[in-house]
Amino acid sequence: MPAAVLTAGAAAGKHAGRSLRPVLLAAATLLMLILVGLPVLAILLYALFPHINEWSLTAPFSALLTNLTDPALIGATLNSLRLSLAVTLLSALIALPLAFRRAQMGVRAGRIWDALLLVPFLIPPYIGALSWMQLLQTNGFSEQLLGFNLTGFLYSFPGIVAVMALHLFPMIYFPTSRAFAVIGSRYSDVARVFGGAPLQIFARIHLPMILPTLLSGGLIVFVLSIEEFGTPEILGNRFGFRVIVTAIHEKFSDWPIDLPGASVLSMILILLAFGAFHLHQRLAQRFSTAVENQSLIRPSGAPCLRQALIDLLLFGTAVSLAVLLPLLTIALSALQDTLSGGLALSNMSLRHISALFAPDSATAG
Amino acid sequence: MKTVVAALAVGFAFITPTFAATPLVVYSAGPATLSAELARTFEAETGTPVELFQSTAGKIMARYQAEKSNPHADIMISASWGHALTLDAAGDLLAYSSPNAATVPDSLKTDSYVAQGAAALAIAYNPNSGLPAPQHWADLTQAAYKGQVTMPDPAKSGSALTLVQGLVAQDSDAAWSLFGDLAANDLLVPGANKAALNPVLQGARGVVFGAVDYIVIGAKAKGERIEVVYPDEGTVLAPRPIMIMKSSKQAEAAKQFVDFMLSEKGQALVAEHYILPARTDIEARRPGWDDLTIIDFDAARAAAQAAETKAKFAAVTAR
């Protein structure tokens, strides 16, 4: 009897689901049009009609030419592309070995590392960049505790790339580690029987099979980097490194406010993101793979000690750099009574933390 | 039945706000706690609710600009006198002279806007840095300060722009060679005011050229090790204009707000944040009108040349 009821219920649900589908689709489309379409339309109108804020269509297209011929803009666009490509590549370089090893790990250890590598998602990039600055700058935490600073590296192109990649690589790590798990070990077992070297097996079998996943993860990292404001603003400002997003911010950070100019730059950003998406679609079609008979069998048996140590070193380094160091720095900064007091026990206080719970905290700056 | 109730609920949601008193919309730059206290005290005194938009001076101007076809703001409080000059020239401001502005110096009031208070621009240095205590702007070009000086970017900070304008107005050649020498001394121009001050508090650098004094005095009051120096060859004031927008449909309430801001109570709140109160008869909790040497210059003319000044500064200090 219960089984019959269940089936009937499922059938009814299925039926309702089918008739609801067009409605839901229409609702989702409408929602997307409002949430995404309207702002983009506003940006487009601003870019084309500079006086649209006064409901006037005068001087159309005048903002386009002046902004597009601005030599600083070409530099900023190239910087944006260069930065995002470098961040995507470095993120993939960090994520791939971790993801590959993750797929062969025991269940419990894997879950712990996964949980830790979720933490970077929780650190806002702006705060993350500030914490790296506080950690590595002249007289920063590293200098106060260990006697060295990395100011030169931090305020450089490789520095920005490293800070952003350490924040974004989990975007590639999570999907690719699942992809490696789905492939399983059957193919590599076969390859090994036929004498394949580990690196060869990785490059010739695993990498091509996870390529679609890697491309999607890479696309997300690329788009997130090209639209990131915090890190380029904080670190890039120090050595005159301008990207499109910081140029947009400059257009309305002080008088004269240039909303049309900011809109033209935003259009470039939107076009770049679209271009990346299109390229991704084409590449993904070309390299699409399908795994038959997915094997979700967990790797059996304890890994050998040497492998376990290598894994520990690999994941330990990644987690220390991407999670522990930024979090520790943020925690230490929050506990400092005064910025100028430095790292000293006498300068530790809960003042700033208790201030969060004060009645005026919503407006306190 | 359900639909009727839902329709009624939606209907009421649209109707109710018209029954409540229309709030006075205030866009304010500057210390968030000050804006909030002013709004709250004004609400308590007059019963007029205040809707506050708190941001940076640039952002409130950007929002005003974006809403040009459908203005929301009744009052704007900016941290940059140049903003008021520009909006006044465009005819966007409602003329009003508050009776409470009698003791505000003439340089800080016009027929259509008045200062809430003012900041002075200063040298701020960290005594822990081991640097000699600077006395003059030009001291910071000495070898002892190489790689130690930061300055807020005039393109991002209205007060820093005022300082550049004042020094240039005082002696153009001397000012530009000063900025050139500072750049040669490895001057860091990291962003707006806080971005210039933080490296000095954290010890990465030692001195700020052109710090907004009330921010530094406030930091010092909280225990930061930082000292303020006003060079006796002169500095500039960065007055904070309060403006009533011509588009305001609540002109009376807006005038009341200006009166309140310039009342003893309002000015005392301003003084509590270490800002120099606009009224000379209100006691400042920091170096006051008589303690500062102020460079007197034509702000309107300087505002007209602001774009060139910013561009020249960027060119002179470019690395």
Side-chain angles (χ1 to χ4, degrees), chain A residues 111-192:
Chain A
R111 280 206 190 127
I112 294 173
W113 291 124
D114 277 3
L116 283 169
L117 288 175
L118 275 173
V119 173
F121 291 135
L122 304 178
I123 307 176
Y126 201 85
I127 305 291
L130 279 177
S131 76
W132 280 110
M133 200 162 119
Q134 193 144 35
L135 184 67
L136 297 178
Q137 72 184 351
T138 318
N139 288 327
F141 290 171
S142 70
E143 185 153 1
Q144 289 177 48
L145 293 174
L146 307 166
F148 74 96
N149 71 65
L150 293 177
T151 302
F153 170 69
L154 190 61
Y155 303 131
S156 71
F157 182 71
I160 293 195
V161 172
V163 166
M164 285 174 71
L166 281 174
H167 181 244
L168 291 172
F169 79 85
M171 289 282 180
I172 295 181
Y173 163 80
F174 281 104
T176 46
S177 70
R178 297 301 170 270
F180 279 126
V182 165
I183 297 168
S185 57
R186 289 166 307 153
Y187 295 95
S188 50
D189 286 348
V190 173
R192 205 168 309 134

Side-chain angles (χ1 to χ4, degrees), chain A residues 46 50 52-56 130 133-134 137-140 144 151 155 229 233-234 237-240 246 249-260 333 336-342 346-347 351-352 359-360 362-365, chain B residues 32-33 36-37 40 52 54 56-59 61-62 64-70 80 82-83 86-87 126 128 154-158 161 188-191 194-195 198-205 222-226 307 310 319:
Chain A
Y46 260 118
I52 193 81
N53 58 337
E54 301 160 46
W55 284 130
S56 151
L130 279 177
M133 200 162 119
Q134 193 144 35
Q137 72 184 351
T138 318
N139 288 327
Q144 289 177 48
T151 302
Y155 303 131
F229 171 68
E233 168 71 6
I234 290 177
N237 249 336
R238 292 302 189 88
F239 60 102
T246 52
H249 182 248
E250 264 171 40
K251 296 263 180 200
F252 58 82
S253 57
D254 197 23
W255 198 259
I257 308 294
D258 185 6
L259 291 174
S333 317
Q336 274 189 312
D337 186 23
T338 62
L339 285 173
S340 51
S346 59
N347 191 33
R351 177 162 70 94
H352 302 290
D360 253 359
T363 48
Chain B
T33 45
E37 280 166 25
R40 207 167 45 221
L52 182 67
Q54 162 71 47
T56 64
K59 299 269 159 61
M61 290 293 277
Y64 172 73
Q65 180 91 340
E67 296 168 346
K68 218 49 190 297
S69 60
N70 180 23
S80 178
H83 292 170
T86 321
L87 292 183
N126 185 335
N128 288 2
K156 290 172 187 159
S157 153
L161 177 64
L188 173 68
V189 187
K194 290 222 165 119
N198 272 348
V200 172
L201 291 177
Q202 292 171 344
R205 292 250 164 172
K222 284 189 178 152
E224 296 288 357
R225 261 138 284 187
I226 188 89
K310 284 182 204 174
R319 276 149 295 167

Side-chain angles (χ1 to χ4, degrees), chain A residues 23-247:
Chain A
V23 181
L24 283 177
L25 189 69
T29 314
L30 189 71
L31 203 66
M32 285 301 278
L33 276 179
I34 293 172
L35 292 181
V36 181
L38 280 185
V40 171
L41 182 70
I43 291 173
L44 184 68
L45 283 177
Y46 260 118
L48 299 181
F49 304 106
H51 297 288
I52 193 81
N53 58 337
E54 301 160 46
W55 284 130
S56 151
L57 299 182
T58 48
F61 310 111
S62 60
L64 280 180
L65 198 67
T66 40
N67 278 291
L68 291 180
T69 50
D70 180 359
L73 174 66
I74 296 162
T77 309
L78 288 179
N79 277 347
S80 273
L81 282 172
R82 201 156 67 97
L83 179 68
S84 306
L85 276 175
V87 170
T88 312
L89 283 179
L90 185 60
S91 299
L93 273 180
I94 302 174
L96 277 180
L98 293 170
F100 183 65
R101 287 308 311 156
R102 166 67 182 88
Q104 345 226 325
M105 229 177 230
V107 179
R108 195 181 301 162
R111 280 206 190 127
I112 294 173
W113 291 124
D114 277 3
L116 283 169
L117 288 175
L118 275 173
V119 173
F121 291 135
L122 304 178
I123 307 176
Y126 201 85
I127 305 291
L130 279 177
S131 76
W132 280 110
M133 200 162 119
Q134 193 144 35
L135 184 67
L136 297 178
Q137 72 184 351
T138 318
N139 288 327
F141 290 171
S142 70
E143 185 153 1
Q144 289 177 48
L145 293 174
L146 307 166
F148 74 96
N149 71 65
L150 293 177
T151 302
F153 170 69
L154 190 61
Y155 303 131
S156 71
F157 182 71
I160 293 195
V161 172
V163 166
M164 285 174 71
L166 281 174
H167 181 244
L168 291 172
F169 79 85
M171 289 282 180
I172 295 181
Y173 163 80
F174 281 104
T176 46
S177 70
R178 297 301 170 270
F180 279 126
V182 165
I183 297 168
S185 57
R186 289 166 307 153
Y187 295 95
S188 50
D189 286 348
V190 173
R192 205 168 309 134
V193 167
F194 286 97
L199 208 64
Q200 199 182 7
I201 296 173
F202 179 81
R204 299 284 293 276
I205 296 177
H206 284 119
L207 203 55
M209 290 186 82
I210 59 118
L211 202 57
T213 317
L214 180 62
L215 284 173
S216 332
L219 174 75
I220 296 176
V221 171
F222 182 86
V223 172
L224 284 177
S225 329
I226 211 162
E227 52 125 70
E228 182 166 329
F229 171 68
T231 313
E233 168 71 6
I234 290 177
L235 301 180
N237 249 336
R238 292 302 189 88
F239 60 102
F241 185 77
R242 287 169 86 243
V243 293
I244 300 182
V245 184
T246 52

